[in-house]
Amino acid sequence: MSLLRPQNRAGTVRSVTPVSIHGDRYTDLVIALDDAEGPPVTGRVGAGECPEALAAGERVSVRFIMGVMVRVARAAI
């Protein structure tokens, strides 16, 4: 499945790192996508596009547009 098409994918957070660049807040993420072979995907999203207090091991839904991670939400239980 190509990440170039807009899509939501489910996965598990492997690491979360808050980042501040010139006062703007971002979150660096490493996420193991379900049904994906190879290494986990990495991305940086704005702090407003990622849930607060997200932790490794949590299930998430990840929005990709043109292969770029643009939004992360906790998966509904």
Side-chain angles (χ1 to χ4, degrees):
M1 180 179 295
S2 171
L3 288 178
L4 294 179
R5 301 185 68 206
Q7 59 189 285
N8 291 320
R9 302 279 302 274
T12 303
V13 176
R14 295 292 180 230
S15 73
V16 180
T17 307
V19 178
S20 178
I21 301 175
H22 302 293
D24 292 326
R25 296 180 318 123
Y26 299 91
T27 303
D28 284 352
L29 297 152
V30 177
I31 299 175
L33 297 176
D34 295 352
D35 303 325
E37 295 182 22
V41 296
T42 62
R44 175 175 288 161
V45 297
E49 300 300 327
C50 182
E52 287 194 36
L54 191 65
E58 288 193 68
R59 299 285 301 154
V60 292
S61 173
V62 184
R63 178 73 175 166
F64 289 94
I65 297 178
M66 295 299 295
V68 176
M69 187 183 304
V70 296
R71 182 178 307 132
V72 176
R74 282 189 173 92
I77 295 174

